[in-house]
């Protein structure tokens, strides 16, 4: 909720803009003495005044006449290169219903908002209390994205070729391609941002985050990430404690390895316990990953209810800006919009996208194979010659593999984006999920293929332990540098003169000052980092029990570093309302199942297990059959645990069913 201090910050921000220049609304309930600037449209420096006036008129026009029904302000200069956008009350309320957001009813229950029943909702007359800042800004962006040309027309002030709008073409995308619009981004509220920073990354305690304040300012997408990061960091405490015990307190339990000369054989002390430490760690990791995911899903559903995103209705909203198809009536909503057959999309995914992704995955494996082959050749050459030149050549396979992987990664990311665009997904969430899945597959292969090769093909546990330790320590050092040191240097030294200039110039346009900040790169890299961490821990930690300890130490600073970056170093990002982490949650669940197979194989390679099998006279074939049986039993245990732990707490399930029932009743009353 927005406090009185927040309202004061809005009044301070609007002093930069003349209130008389805002769009004048005709609806009595939408008239306001103070209009809150929410979104800034940055235009090209060479934009013609006639083009800017045409865009403003389009933003102000009602939806019935092809506009966005928003409020526009030309900035300090009618001929300038900015347009500031807000929205009237009715636009906010109708968009809230279209998004399926839940809001507090007069009895304090969270109910799916209905425009026809708006008077029974709390704070419905005050948009700063009724909607969060992130929701208000997303609604404005969503309305701008939905602008479509009603008929073929020419954009004023633009040359003939790029300035022609086809019927039902997305207007904002057309203006971006024509070079009229450079960027669209939400505006920071500096006072609220400073207050959030003091409560978030400036406080001294390690644990706990102001999640409700984060959700209110940055939106549920960002809030779910930081909530998951906080939950995951807490969940690392038990495996970290176990890792310390196995490494330093349990004799032989840390999986201390001794390599025999010239052999990749793992030995353990004879005086150690009958159960190997890494056997304990393997079983614990499998059970821990299941409990972690199931408990997070319960936590996620609770947050979704608290933030009003439990009943989102994205598929009934308008199509995303990049969607195209044959114009027709949507059979579900009855609206006139582009239509694209689902079977064509499935054919594109199955016959084109999947084979291409598989081909690129094969190139990853090919690169790894060539690396090992080249490494063996160079080592043989060095042993024969022993010269300085051959010693330098020892580094060439690694360098070539790094260059090859980076080039292939750049190509793959571009191909993944083009394929996802070509698949033509209607909803934004579907587009993001398919694109994320493609990139995840490449990331998984790229980061874990070498470890799987060492574990399953070479069956060299000492080498696996060394490689895992080096990757963990190296990644953590690089991460600490990028997450803590670099942001500190940028903010304190590189950005300091710019900040001093803003403080000295009292007449500086505060809205324009935000354009100097770089756009926020998104949470993709942050989720990838957490997924890789989870993979290292759940798949291979049994050979290196200190994995969880290193990850815990890293994540304690990760929370504050990520918070500092998003508040200080970047523009404010748009954040769509979401009910969970989406495809990322599925990725963590899949890794949990893969961990069962990985840990079963590593258990099979355990010296204790191998010694037991040799003493019992069990053949290699029977050992594999026993391993498969144990794997299926553990997967069954995993499934039983997942079934026994509901994804939603009972009170959330009851609230969700109440929301669905109330929505049905409201629909029936609306029809009557």
């Amino acid at each position: 909720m927005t406090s009185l201090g927040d309202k004061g910050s809005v009044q301070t921000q609007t002093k930069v803009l003349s209130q008389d220049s805002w769009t004048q609304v005709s609806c009595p309930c939408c008239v306001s003495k103070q209009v809150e600037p929410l979104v800034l449209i940055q235009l090209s420096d060479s934009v013609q005044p006639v083009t800017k006036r045409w865009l403003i008129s389009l933003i102000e026009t009602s939806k019935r006449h092809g506009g966005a029904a928003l409020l526009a302000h030309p900035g300090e200069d009618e001929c300038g290169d900015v347009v500031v956008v807000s929205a009237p009350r009715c636009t906010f309320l109708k968009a809230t219903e279209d998004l399926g957001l839940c809001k507090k009813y007069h009895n304090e229950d969270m109910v799916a908002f209905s425009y026809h029943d708006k008077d029974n909702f709390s704070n419905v007359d005050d948009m700063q209390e009724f909607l969060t800042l992130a929701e208000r800004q997303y609604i404005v962006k969503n309305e701008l994205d939905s602008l479509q040309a009603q008929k073929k027309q020419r954009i004023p002030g633009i040359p003939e070729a790029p300035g022609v709008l086809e019927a039902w073409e997305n207007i904002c995308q057309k203006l971006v391609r024509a070079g009229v619009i450079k960027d669209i981004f939400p505006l920071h509220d500096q006072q609220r941002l400073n207050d959030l920073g003091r409560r978030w990354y400036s406080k001294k305690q390690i644990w706990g985050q102001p999640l409700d304040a984060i959700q209110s300012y940055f939106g549920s997408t960002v809030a779910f990430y930081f909530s998951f990061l906080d939950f995951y960091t807490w969940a690392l405490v038990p495996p970290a404690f176990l890792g310390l015990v196995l490494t330093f307190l349990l004799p032989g339990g840390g999986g201390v390895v001794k390599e025999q000369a010239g052999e990749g054989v793992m030995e353990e002390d004879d005086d150690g316990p009958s159960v190997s430490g890494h056997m304990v760690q393997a079983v614990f990791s499998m059970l821990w990953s299941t409990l972690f995911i199931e408990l997070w899903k319960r936590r996620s559903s609770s947050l979704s209810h608290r933030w009003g995103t439990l009943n989102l209705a994205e598929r009934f909203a308008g199509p995303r800006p990049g969607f195209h198809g044959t114009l027709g009536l949507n059979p579900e909503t009855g609206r006139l919009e582009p239509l694209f057959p689902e079977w064509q999309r499935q054919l594109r995914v199955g016959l084109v996208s999947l084979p291409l992704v598989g081909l690129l995955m094969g190139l990853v494996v090919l690169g790894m194979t060539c690396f090992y082959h080249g490494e063996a050749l160079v080592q043989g050459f060095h042993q024969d010659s022993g010269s300085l030149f051959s010693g330098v050549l020892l580094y060439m396979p690694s360098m070539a593999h790094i260059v090859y992987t980076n080039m292939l990664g750049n190509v793959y990311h571009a191909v993944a984006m083009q394929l996802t665009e070509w698949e033509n997904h209607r909803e934004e969430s579907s587009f993001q999920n398919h694109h994320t899945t493609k990139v995840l597959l490449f990331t998984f292969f790229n980061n874990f293929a070498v470890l799987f090769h060492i574990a399953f093909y070479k069956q060299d546990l000492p080498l696996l332990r060394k490689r895992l330790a080096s990757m963990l320590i190296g990644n953590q050092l690089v991460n600490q540098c990028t997450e803590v040191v670099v942001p500190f240097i940028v903010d304190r030294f590189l950005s300091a003169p710019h900040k001093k200039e803003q403080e000295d110039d009292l007449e500086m346009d505060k809205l324009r000052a935000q354009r100097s900040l770089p756009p926020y790169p998104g949470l993709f890299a942050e989720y990838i980092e957490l997924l890789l961490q989870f993979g290292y821990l759940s798949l291979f930690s049994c050979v290196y029990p200190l994995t969880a300890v290193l990850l815990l130490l890293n994540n304690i600073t990760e929370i504050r570093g990520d918070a500092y970056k998003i508040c200080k170093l970047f523009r404010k990002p748009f954040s769509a309302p979401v009910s969970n982490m989406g495809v990322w949650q599925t990725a963590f669940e899949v890794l949990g199942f893969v961990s069962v197979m990985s840990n079963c194989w590593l258990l099979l390679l355990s010296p204790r297990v191998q010694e037991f099998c040799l003493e019992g006279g069990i053949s290699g074939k029977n050992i594999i059959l026993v391993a498969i049986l144990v794997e299926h039993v553990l997967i069954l245990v995993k499934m039983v645990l997942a079934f026994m732990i509901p994804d939603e707490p009972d009170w959330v399930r009851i609230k969700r069913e109440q929301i669905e029932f109330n929505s049905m009743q409201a629909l029936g009353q609306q029809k009557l």
Side-chain angles (χ1 to χ4, degrees):
M1 293 296 181
T2 308
S3 64
L4 293 175
D6 299 332
K7 293 182 180 179
S9 68
V10 171
Q11 294 174 0
T12 302
Q13 190 177 15
T14 54
K15 290 180 181 179
V16 181
L17 300 174
S18 170
Q19 292 296 307
D20 296 335
S21 299
W22 282 102
T23 304
Q24 301 301 312
V25 295
S26 58
C27 179
C29 68
C30 296
V31 176
S32 175
K33 296 181 180 179
Q34 206 77 24
V35 179
E36 177 188 20
L38 293 173
V39 174
L40 186 140
I41 302 177
Q42 183 178 348
L43 305 176
S44 171
D45 297 335
S46 59
V47 67
Q48 298 295 320
V50 63
T51 307
K52 181 177 179 179
R53 288 194 296 269
W54 173 82
L55 177 60
I56 290 177
S57 67
L58 194 65
I59 293 172
E60 298 172 345
T61 304
S62 65
K63 289 188 176 183
R64 183 174 52 185
H65 296 95
L70 297 173
L71 306 177
H73 192 288
E76 293 182 345
D77 186 358
E78 293 285 345
C79 300
D81 58 352
V82 298
V83 176
V84 184
V85 187
S86 186
R89 175 177 176 267
C90 286
T91 299
F92 279 135
L93 295 180
K94 292 175 181 177
T96 302
E97 181 181 34
D98 292 339
L99 291 173
L101 293 174
C102 296
K103 294 297 175 181
K104 279 190 177 181
Y105 210 55
H106 60 78
N107 60 359
E108 296 299 314
D109 285 340
M110 296 295 288
V111 177
F113 180 75
S114 172
Y115 183 79
H116 295 277
D117 192 29
K118 58 181 181 294
D119 294 332
N120 287 319
F121 285 83
S122 302
N123 301 314
V124 74
D125 293 324
D126 187 352
M127 290 298 100
Q128 294 180 35
E129 292 285 345
F130 183 71
L131 294 168
T132 67
L133 176 61
E135 289 170 346
R136 298 195 297 273
Q137 291 174 327
Y138 175 76
I139 286 174
V140 171
K141 177 63 163 58
N142 191 53
E143 297 301 322
L144 289 173
D145 286 340
S146 65
L147 278 173
Q148 292 180 326
Q150 302 294 306
K151 59 182 180 180
K152 186 175 181 179
Q153 57 182 297
R154 187 171 174 272
I155 303 174
I158 303 297
E160 185 68 28
V164 176
L165 272 168
E166 299 295 334
W168 301 102
E169 185 176 5
N170 186 277
I171 294 177
C172 284
Q173 283 195 335
K174 179 67 175 181
L175 294 177
V176 170
R177 291 195 299 269
V180 176
I181 294 179
K182 294 174 66 176
D183 203 356
I184 302 176
F185 58 91
L187 292 168
H188 271 302
D189 185 331
Q190 201 59 49
Q191 182 176 329
R192 290 190 62 186
L193 183 62
N194 293 337
D195 293 341
L196 177 60
R198 283 191 291 270
R199 297 173 55 192
W200 195 0
Y201 58 82
S202 298
K203 62 182 183 179
K204 295 182 179 180
Q205 68 247 41
I206 296 177
W207 306 107
Q209 299 182 82
L211 293 178
D212 290 336
I214 297 170
Q215 187 271 338
S216 176
Y217 190 83
F218 285 108
S220 54
T221 302
V222 175
F224 266 114
Y225 164 73
F226 280 99
S227 176
F228 179 77
L229 177 58
D230 187 71
F231 187 86
Y232 172 56
T233 304
W234 271 103
L236 286 174
V237 174
F241 177 76
L242 178 64
L244 291 173
V245 170
L246 293 177
T247 303
F248 299 109
L249 299 181
L250 187 63
V256 179
V257 297
K258 299 177 183 178
E259 290 186 73
Q260 297 180 356
E263 298 179 7
V265 180
M266 187 177 190
E267 292 185 345
E268 298 181 26
D269 296 336
D270 294 334
D271 298 333
S274 59
V275 178
S276 171
H278 77 274
M279 292 172 62
V280 175
Q281 182 76 34
V283 176
F284 177 84
S285 295
M286 288 183 283
L287 297 177
W288 172 85
S289 62
T290 302
L291 291 174
F292 165 70
I293 291 297
E294 295 304 318
L295 293 177
W296 162 249
K297 287 193 285 188
R298 292 172 63 85
R299 169 71 171 160
S300 175
S301 63
S302 301
L303 292 174
S304 179
H305 173 265
R306 192 164 86 195
W307 295 336
T309 59
L310 195 62
N311 193 46
L312 295 179
E314 186 187 15
R315 68 190 184 93
F316 299 122
R320 69 180 187 89
F323 180 72
H324 58 271
T326 305
L327 196 64
L329 290 176
N330 187 314
E332 296 176 345
T333 63
R335 290 194 293 257
L336 189 65
E337 62 180 48
L339 301 178
F340 189 78
E342 183 66 23
W343 64 268
Q344 288 189 25
R345 182 180 300 110
Q346 297 297 338
L347 281 179
R348 292 184 176 187
V349 172
L351 298 182
V352 179
S353 295
L354 285 178
L356 278 177
V357 169
L359 175 63
L360 291 169
M361 294 298 100
L363 292 178
V364 174
V365 178
L366 178 63
M368 184 184 66
T369 305
C370 293
F371 163 70
Y372 281 117
H373 183 65
E375 190 177 44
L377 289 177
V378 171
Q379 286 179 350
F381 177 72
H382 180 64
Q383 289 177 357
D384 294 337
S385 65
S387 63
L388 179 63
F389 174 72
S390 63
V392 174
L393 284 180
L394 289 175
Y395 298 95
M396 293 304 296
S398 296
M399 296 176 62
H401 186 249
I402 292 173
V403 173
Y404 173 81
T405 302
N406 290 335
M407 291 177 60
L408 184 61
N410 293 332
V411 171
Y412 183 87
H413 280 73
V415 171
M417 178 59 72
Q418 291 296 324
L419 284 176
T420 311
E421 289 280 4
W422 181 67
E423 289 165 6
N424 198 27
H425 298 276
R426 183 184 182 276
E427 292 86 16
E428 183 66 27
S429 63
S430 178
F431 175 86
Q432 294 296 337
N433 288 344
H434 279 77
H435 177 248
T436 302
T437 301
K438 294 181 180 68
V439 179
L440 275 178
L441 288 172
F442 178 82
T443 304
F444 182 85
F445 265 74
N446 202 29
N447 287 273
F448 293 113
V450 174
L451 297 177
F452 276 110
H453 179 267
I454 296 173
F456 295 163
Y457 182 75
K458 288 190 171 183
Q459 299 184 14
D460 191 343
L461 292 187
L463 179 60
L464 176 63
R465 186 172 188 263
K466 289 179 180 178
R467 182 60 65 92
L468 180 62
S470 62
M471 291 177 69
L472 277 172
I473 295 173
N475 288 343
Q476 303 315 314
L477 290 175
V478 172
N479 181 66
Q480 290 301 311
C481 182
T482 57
E483 298 285 348
V484 179
V485 179
V486 173
F488 178 82
I489 293 175
V490 170
D491 186 56
R492 291 299 177 92
F493 298 102
L494 300 182
S495 302
H498 181 67
K499 291 182 178 179
K500 188 66 169 60
E501 178 185 345
Q502 292 185 29
E503 293 173 0
D504 293 342
D505 189 358
L506 299 179
E507 301 299 325
M508 188 178 209
D509 188 345
K510 302 300 182 183
L511 302 181
R512 288 174 178 268
Q514 297 188 33
R515 294 189 296 174
S516 62
L517 295 172
Y520 186 64
L523 297 170
F524 194 92
E526 310 298 342
Y527 272 121
I528 285 288
E529 181 185 344
L530 293 183
L531 191 69
L532 293 178
Q533 286 188 12
F534 186 75
Y536 292 141
L537 180 60
S538 61
L539 297 175
F540 304 107
S541 65
C542 63
V543 298
Y544 189 61
L546 290 178
T547 299
V549 178
L550 296 176
L551 297 181
L552 178 62
L553 294 175
N554 173 80
N555 286 3
I556 290 175
T557 57
E558 175 88 8
I559 294 175
R560 299 292 178 257
D562 287 348
Y564 186 82
K565 287 193 303 182
I566 195 173
C567 290
K568 287 286 189 178
L569 304 183
F570 298 102
R571 295 177 188 168
K572 189 174 187 287
F574 286 107
S575 178
V578 294
S579 57
N580 50 49
M581 297 196 309
V583 70
W584 296 105
Q585 185 167 296
T586 306
F588 279 91
E589 291 186 80
V590 171
L591 266 186
F593 274 94
V594 176
S595 70
V596 175
M597 296 178 280
S598 173
N599 282 285
C600 281
W601 184 260
L602 293 174
L603 279 175
L604 183 63
L605 298 178
S606 167
R608 299 286 186 193
V609 174
Q610 290 182 353
E611 181 183 351
F612 173 78
C613 294
L614 289 175
E615 292 176 355
I618 304 176
S619 64
K621 181 179 180 180
N622 290 334
I623 291 176
I624 295 177
L625 291 176
V626 170
I628 294 174
L629 176 62
V630 172
E631 175 193 78
H632 282 66
V633 170
L634 289 173
I635 289 178
L636 180 62
V637 171
K638 219 174 153 57
M639 295 176 65
V640 170
L641 278 175
F643 176 77
M644 291 175 59
I645 304 175
D647 292 349
E648 297 176 332
D650 286 340
W651 69 270
V652 174
R653 177 184 56 79
I654 293 172
K655 292 292 185 182
R656 177 176 51 78
E657 292 173 353
Q658 288 177 349
I659 290 172
E660 294 173 355
F661 177 74
N662 292 332
S663 298
M664 291 176 59
Q665 280 193 322
L667 181 61
Q669 292 176 1
Q670 183 177 339
K671 289 181 178 180
L672 290 176

